[in-house]
C-alpha cells in the first residue's frame, strides 16, 4: 500500500508542476476544466501549489512512523474528490470523458491515498 501511495504522490507532484509551468496548456487540455469558467492563471497555479504541497506531505507521511502526517496530507485530495463528485451530480451523472478523468484522476487516487493512510495509521498504532 505504501508504494501505491507514493506513486500517487509522484503523480500529484508532476500534476502540480504541470499546472505551475504550463497553466494555460493544462487549462485547455484537461477535460472539463474550461467548462467551469474562464482561464485564471492565479487560480491554476494556486491549485498547482496545493498539489505539490500535498504530494510532499504524502511522500513524507508514507515513511514509517509518519502515518498521522499521511492522514493529514490525504484530507485535501478527499475533500477535492467530494467536491468533484458533487459537481458530477450537477451534470446529471453524465458518463463522458469528463467523468472518466474525474474518476481516474481525482476519485481513485484520493480514496486510495486516504485508505492507505488509515491502514498505515492503524498498523502503526498496533506496534
Amino acid at each position: 500500500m505504501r508504494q501505491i501511495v507514493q506513486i500517487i504522490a509522484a503523480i500529484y507532484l508532476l500534476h502540480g508542476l504541470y499546472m505551475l509551468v504550463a497553466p494555460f496548456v493544462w487549462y485547455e487540455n484537461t477535460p472539463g476544466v474550461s467548462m467551469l469558467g474562464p482561464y485564471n492563471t492565479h487560480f491554476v497555479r494556486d491549485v498547482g501549489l496545493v498539489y505539490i504541497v500535498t504530494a510532499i506531505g504524502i511522500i513524507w507521511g508514507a515513511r514509517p512512523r509518519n502515518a498521522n502526517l499521511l492522514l493529514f496530507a490525504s484530507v485535501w485530495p478527499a475533500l477535492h474528490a467530494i467536491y468533484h463528485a458533487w459537481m458530477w451530480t450537477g451534470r446529471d451523472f453524465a458518463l463522458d470523458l469528463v467523468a472518466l478523468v474525474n474518476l481516474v484522476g481525482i476519485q481513485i487516487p484520493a480514496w486510495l491515498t486516504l485508505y492507505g493512510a488509515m491502514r498505515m495509521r492503524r498498523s502503526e498504532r498496533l506496534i
Side-chain angles (χ1 to χ4, degrees), residues 24 26-39 98:
F24 188 73
W26 175 86
Y27 173 83
E28 286 289 307
N29 291 304
T30 304
V33 172
S34 63
M35 295 172 19
L36 300 174
Y39 172 71
V98 175

Side-chain angles (χ1 to χ4, degrees), residues 84 88 96-111:
H84 276 264
W88 185 51
D96 56 8
L97 181 61
V98 175
L100 180 63
V101 169
N102 180 22
L103 177 66
V104 174
I106 298 172
Q107 300 299 325
I108 292 172
W111 301 118

Side-chain angles (χ1 to χ4, degrees), residues 45-84:
R45 286 190 168 140
D46 276 355
V47 175
L49 290 171
V50 173
Y51 267 104
I52 291 168
V53 169
T54 298
I56 292 167
I58 291 170
I59 290 165
W60 195 267
R63 297 170 48 159
R65 293 177 298 287
N66 283 337
N68 284 334
L69 175 59
L70 177 58
L71 188 60
F72 180 76
S74 301
V75 170
W76 180 79
L79 293 173
H80 185 221
I82 290 168
Y83 178 66
H84 276 264

